[in-house]
Amino acid sequence: MLDLVFRARRMITPAGEVEGTVGVREGRIVAVEPLNSDLDAERVIELGLHQVLLPGLVDTHVHVNDPGRTEWETFRTATRAAAAGGVTTLVDMPLNSLPPTVDADALEVKRKAAEGRLHVDVGFWGGAVPGNLADLRDLHEAGVFGFKSFLLHSGVDEFGHLSFSEFEAALREIRKFDGLMIVHAEDGHAVKNARGRKYADFLASRPRAAENAAITRVIDLAKRTGARAHILHLSSADAIPMIAQAKADGVRITAETCPHYLTFVAEEIPDGATQFKCCPPIREATNREALWRALADGVIDYVVSDHSPSTRELKRFDTGDFGEAWGGISGLQVGLPAVWTQARRRGHTVVDVVNWMAHRPAQVAGMRHKGRIEPGYDADFCVFAPDEAFVVQADQLHHRNPVSAYHGVPLAGRVITTWLRGIRVTGDELHGDLLGREDA
């Protein structure tokens, strides 16, 4: 007898959209069979015609900020928001918490802060910062999924940024154990600090050239060292041809973008609307369409939230000054409907969205049991109604502070239920586990 069976006329597997039956035992998928299969279980869930069974989404770019800045976000609130958005696995960034995750002792502090407070499964990135080259192997062996680095000021003083020579040294070190370097690629020499309420001034202060120059160097150093490098939150479409060429040349490079770059456009952001501030910035409509084409072509590998929350006060709604406001979009809970809303307008399918938001991020991070409806994988599911619509209300989202660029935005697609290792996530109980690289 199985623990749980789903019967779905629409579900997304590695073979595409199919109808079928999924059997679960002890938190793992043990069978994927035709719809008329005689699989039985203690609990059988029959999905309606307008519901699609997806694998739980994998978001590898989340700033939880816990411990140390829990007034910004906590593990309990972030993972509740994740579950409400169909995300069953997230990987937490090493900065904005105190201490930052730049050595094995800090990783242990982070794990203790998270333990017993999780609605979904959580893994961790380590940090590559000036002076911690000798700590990278220890962090790797302690189970981090890779290493986050900045090529300009990170926004917080305790997480320093690498010079290009330090970045190359870190790449050479992690190449020894085939680690993964994930990089915020903007060249600080091309960035200015624009004060004031005008979004156009803020956008001009972080031009495409800043991303392009940094990505050029990252590609060159990845090629020179043979290390794996991943471009975070790509916003400049100008960099797409060079990433495509690097991949064609065999450079071990991947790239992500985010729902806000695929949804919003600079021309429509009001002056003073600091809820839209993020770095790199949301760019023009033509740039957005080029990002969509690169995603469709596979040059951009996947889509993750870059959920970077803060308090209302730090967004400086009192002045609307983009220079003073914290840069970050709070979008963890609404990433799936945001991407689906835009994707279907461009002729993409739910299969495409699952590839971008579950299959590929899990694959790049090296997760062997996440992001697929397939025997042997964790029984993580999202029941999704793609034709239902709603309007986002920031005060109804589960992350800690009611601030979101998506407030008031109508979206298509609603998450009906989320399941973690065969258990429905309701918000009443905490079933999330800590993940390490080897047991992901």
Side-chain angles (χ1 to χ4, degrees):
M1 179 67 73
L2 300 173
D3 302 324
L4 175 68
V5 162
F6 276 95
R7 299 189 190 282
R9 295 194 177 278
R10 299 180 66 189
M11 68 179 182
I12 310 302
T13 74
E17 182 174 318
V18 300
E19 60 178 22
T21 302
V22 181
V24 174
R25 182 185 293 119
E26 297 179 351
R28 286 283 175 95
I29 299 170
V30 297
V32 179
E33 298 188 1
L35 187 62
N36 61 1
S37 166
D38 60 0
L39 287 179
D40 201 5
E42 297 174 8
R43 186 173 189 182
V44 177
I45 307 294
E46 303 262 0
L47 299 189
L49 287 172
H50 302 293
Q51 297 177 341
V52 188
L53 186 66
L54 314 182
L57 304 186
V58 177
D59 191 336
T60 57
H61 196 151
V62 179
H63 295 267
V64 178
N65 310 331
D66 189 358
R69 290 189 172 98
T70 53
E71 69 275 16
W72 297 17
E73 190 69 281
T74 69
F75 279 107
R76 189 183 294 265
T77 52
T79 57
R80 182 68 187 96
V87 175
T88 52
T89 305
L90 64 84
V91 188
D92 177 49
M93 284 292 166
L95 72 157
N96 300 343
S97 57
L98 297 170
T101 314
V102 295
D103 56 42
D105 289 342
L107 176 63
E108 186 60 24
V109 171
K110 175 83 78 168
R111 284 176 166 157
K112 286 181 179 178
E115 192 169 13
R117 298 179 175 91
L118 305 177
H119 292 281
V120 302
D121 289 350
V122 173
F124 303 98
W125 297 109
V129 297
N132 84 327
L133 195 66
D135 295 299
L136 300 183
R137 184 180 288 272
D138 287 345
L139 277 165
H140 176 80
E141 292 177 353
V144 299
F145 284 86
F147 304 93
K148 168 74 174 286
S149 62
F150 280 78
L151 299 177
L152 79 172
H153 194 278
S154 69
V156 289
D157 291 337
E158 68 274 3
F159 195 94
H161 67 284
L162 300 177
S163 66
F164 284 114
S165 62
E166 290 170 326
F167 182 73
E168 180 176 359
L171 284 178
R172 292 191 183 282
E173 176 64 19
I174 69 171
R175 178 66 181 90
K176 296 174 183 176
F177 47 82
D178 201 30
L180 174 63
M181 178 69 83
I182 63 174
V183 56
H184 182 127
E186 286 183 285
D187 187 337
H189 296 97
V191 169
K192 300 176 183 178
N193 184 23
R195 296 277 179 166
R197 294 174 52 85
K198 289 185 177 296
Y199 185 78
D201 291 345
F202 169 65
L203 179 61
S205 75
R206 300 187 88 105
R208 300 187 198 190
E211 279 189 89
N212 303 340
I215 290 170
T216 299
R217 293 293 299 274
V218 170
I219 290 171
D220 177 65
L221 292 173
K223 183 177 182 179
R224 187 183 306 174
T225 62
R228 292 189 294 147
H230 176 77
I231 305 298
L232 296 167
H233 44 50
L234 179 67
S235 87
S236 171
D238 293 348
I240 290 167
M242 70 179 82
I243 296 171
Q245 186 61 55
K247 288 187 171 191
D249 292 342
V251 180
R252 303 172 75 198
I253 195 157
T254 49
E256 69 184 41
T257 194
C258 305
H260 41 275
Y261 300 128
L262 299 170
T263 299
F264 303 116
V265 293
E267 295 91 334
E268 297 175 359
I269 295 177
D271 291 342
T274 54
Q275 66 269 32
F276 291 94
K277 180 182 176 180
C278 57
C279 302
I282 295 164
R283 303 193 187 276
E284 303 86 354
T286 54
N287 186 87
R288 178 183 66 178
E289 296 315 304
L291 292 177
W292 273 106
R293 289 192 295 272
L295 191 59
D297 293 341
V299 179
I300 297 175
D301 293 85
Y302 56 79
V303 183
V304 284
S305 70
D306 189 11
H307 177 72
S308 185
S310 71
T311 62
R312 287 185 58 86
E313 290 74 19
L314 284 172
K315 293 302 279 187
R316 295 310 307 265
F317 293 127
D318 55 336
T319 66
D321 190 320
F322 281 95
E324 295 179 346
W326 175 258
I329 301 286
S330 297
L332 180 57
Q333 186 170 333
V334 296
L336 173 58
V339 172
W340 171 238
T341 299
Q342 297 293 326
R344 69 176 190 169
R345 292 175 183 172
R346 293 164 175 82
H348 297 295
T349 67
V350 180
V351 174
D352 297 323
V353 173
V354 167
N355 185 51
W356 299 328
M357 303 189 77
H359 292 176
R360 283 295 286 154
Q363 184 180 41
V364 171
M367 298 180 181
R368 298 193 298 270
H369 306 296
K370 296 292 187 182
R372 292 175 180 264
I373 297 178
E374 188 174 342
Y377 280 71
D378 286 356
D380 300 344
F381 305 109
C382 165
V383 178
F384 185 58
D387 297 324
E388 291 193 20
F390 68 103
V391 177
V392 179
Q393 301 297 321
D395 61 359
Q396 295 177 12
L397 301 176
H398 290 284
H399 65 262
R400 177 151 192 181
N401 292 283
V403 177
S404 178
Y406 293 93
H407 175 70
V409 176
L411 296 177
R414 184 185 294 274
V415 174
I416 305 302
T417 57
T418 300
W419 301 72
L420 180 70
R421 283 175 276 104
I423 300 171
R424 182 176 172 182
V425 183
T426 63
D428 297 327
E429 297 179 342
L430 295 156
H431 297 289
D433 280 347
L434 299 176
L435 300 178
R437 191 188 61 265
E438 294 302 318
D439 58 3

